[in-house]
Amino acid sequence: DPDMPFVPSMPEDQFILVEEGDPTVIPCRTSDPDAQVTLINSLDKAVYALYDTKQGFIGNFPAGSYTCKTMAKGMEFKSDEFLVYIIRATSQLPVEIEALKTVYKTGETIVVTCVVFDNEVVNLQWNYPGKVKEKGLIKLDDIKVPSQKLVYTLTIPEASVKDTGDYECTARHATKEVKENKKVVITVHDKGFVHLEPQFSPLEAVNLHEVKNFVVDVQ
C-alpha cells in the first residue's frame, strides 16, 4: 500500500519491555517486502540492526525511543514511535514476607510487607482472610538504591477476629514461568489476654534505706 507503507501497530506493541542483555524486536513492518527500511533513534541517528520483513528490526537495543523510516513514491514515511524499556530481572525470584508482629487486638492495624529482590517488573497477588471484602490497602514502593527491590505493603485497618489466618503473597515473573510465594500467620484476639494483679497499694511509703519488694501476679 503506497499510501500506508508501514503496517499499523497496536498501541501495546509500541511499548517494548526487554530484560537486560536480551535481544528484542522493534516491530515496524512494511506493506512492501522489498522496501528499504532505516531504524533511527531519538537523536535521529541511524541504528544498524538485522531487518526481517515479517518481524521488524532484531537486536540488542539500549533503552529509548526508536522510529523506522522508508521511501514510497519518492516520499519519506515514518512509522509510529517505539519505546524500549530495559528491565532488571533474574531467573530466580527472591521473595521475603515480613510482619512487624503476628498477634493483634481488635481495632489495631495489621501491616504485612512482601519484598521482591532484583526484579523490576513482577505480578504480585495477595491472599488473606479479608480479601473477598477487599478490606486491605496495598501500596508499592520501587526502591532502586542501594539495590533493586519492590516493597508491597498490605494494610488492614480496624482488624477484627475474622482477620485471623494466613497472609500469603505470590509473585510471578514478568517474562518467565517462575513464581514464588511466602506466607505468615496472623492472629487477632477480641481483647487483651494478660491480667495483672499488683500485691501493693497505689501509694506506698518506704523508710530511708528500707528494702521493699513489689510483687505482681500475672495471669
Side-chain angles (χ1 to χ4, degrees):
D1 181 354
D3 295 321
M4 190 171 286
F6 285 106
V7 177
S9 55
M10 302 291 288
E12 57 267 27
D13 293 334
Q14 294 172 237
F15 296 90
I16 303 165
L17 291 177
V18 57
E19 291 181 27
E20 265 181 330
D22 284 358
T24 190
V25 175
I26 296 176
C28 54
R29 297 174 295 124
T30 56
S31 55
D32 176 7
D34 296 321
Q36 297 298 308
V37 187
T38 303
L39 180 65
I40 55 175
N41 60 20
S42 57
L43 301 175
D44 210 29
K45 301 288 186 182
V47 178
Y48 297 97
L50 174 67
Y51 184 70
D52 183 315
T53 56
K54 294 181 180 180
Q55 296 185 69
F57 285 96
I58 304 169
N60 291 78
F61 304 106
S65 65
Y66 295 86
T67 309
C68 303
K69 63 181 182 180
T70 190
M71 299 292 293
K73 287 185 176 181
M75 295 176 59
E76 183 179 273
F77 288 84
K78 287 188 175 181
S79 71
D80 293 322
E81 183 182 41
F82 296 91
L83 298 172
V84 174
Y85 294 92
I86 305 297
I87 61 171
R88 182 167 185 189
T90 58
S91 56
Q92 302 299 315
L93 202 55
V95 177
E96 287 184 6
I97 194 166
E98 300 170 353
L100 292 178
K101 59 180 185 175
T102 56
V103 177
Y104 291 84
K105 286 193 299 181
T106 294
E108 291 186 322
T109 299
I110 298 172
V111 179
V112 182
T113 59
C114 194
V115 185
V116 182
F117 298 90
D118 300 324
N119 286 266
E120 286 186 292
V121 182
V122 298
N123 177 22
L124 187 131
Q125 291 182 323
W126 287 96
N127 280 308
Y128 57 97
K131 184 175 181 179
V132 175
K133 295 183 179 179
E134 297 182 347
K135 190 173 181 180
L137 307 173
I138 299 170
K139 184 183 76 166
L140 168 62
D141 293 307
D142 187 352
I143 299 171
K144 306 287 187 185
V145 179
S147 59
Q148 172 65 47
K149 62 181 180 180
L150 299 172
V151 181
Y152 296 84
T153 304
L154 173 67
T155 303
I156 311 290
E158 295 292 324
S160 70
V161 175
K162 292 180 179 179
D163 292 309
T164 295
D166 293 344
Y167 285 70
E168 183 179 55
C169 66
T170 302
R172 287 180 171 79
H173 203 288
T175 58
K176 297 181 175 68
E177 290 297 321
V178 179
K179 75 173 184 177
E180 186 72 33
N181 67 297
K182 290 294 173 70
K183 182 177 70 174
V184 65
V185 179
I186 300 288
T187 304
V188 182
H189 293 280
D190 187 37
K191 59 184 178 180
F193 51 87
V194 176
H195 178 68
L196 303 177
E197 188 175 339
Q199 302 298 312
F200 49 87
S201 304
L203 180 64
E204 290 280 348
V206 182
N207 293 323
L208 187 64
H209 304 306
E210 179 186 355
V211 175
K212 186 129 183 173
N213 292 324
F214 296 89
V215 179
V216 179
D217 285 340
V218 182
Q219 296 177 0

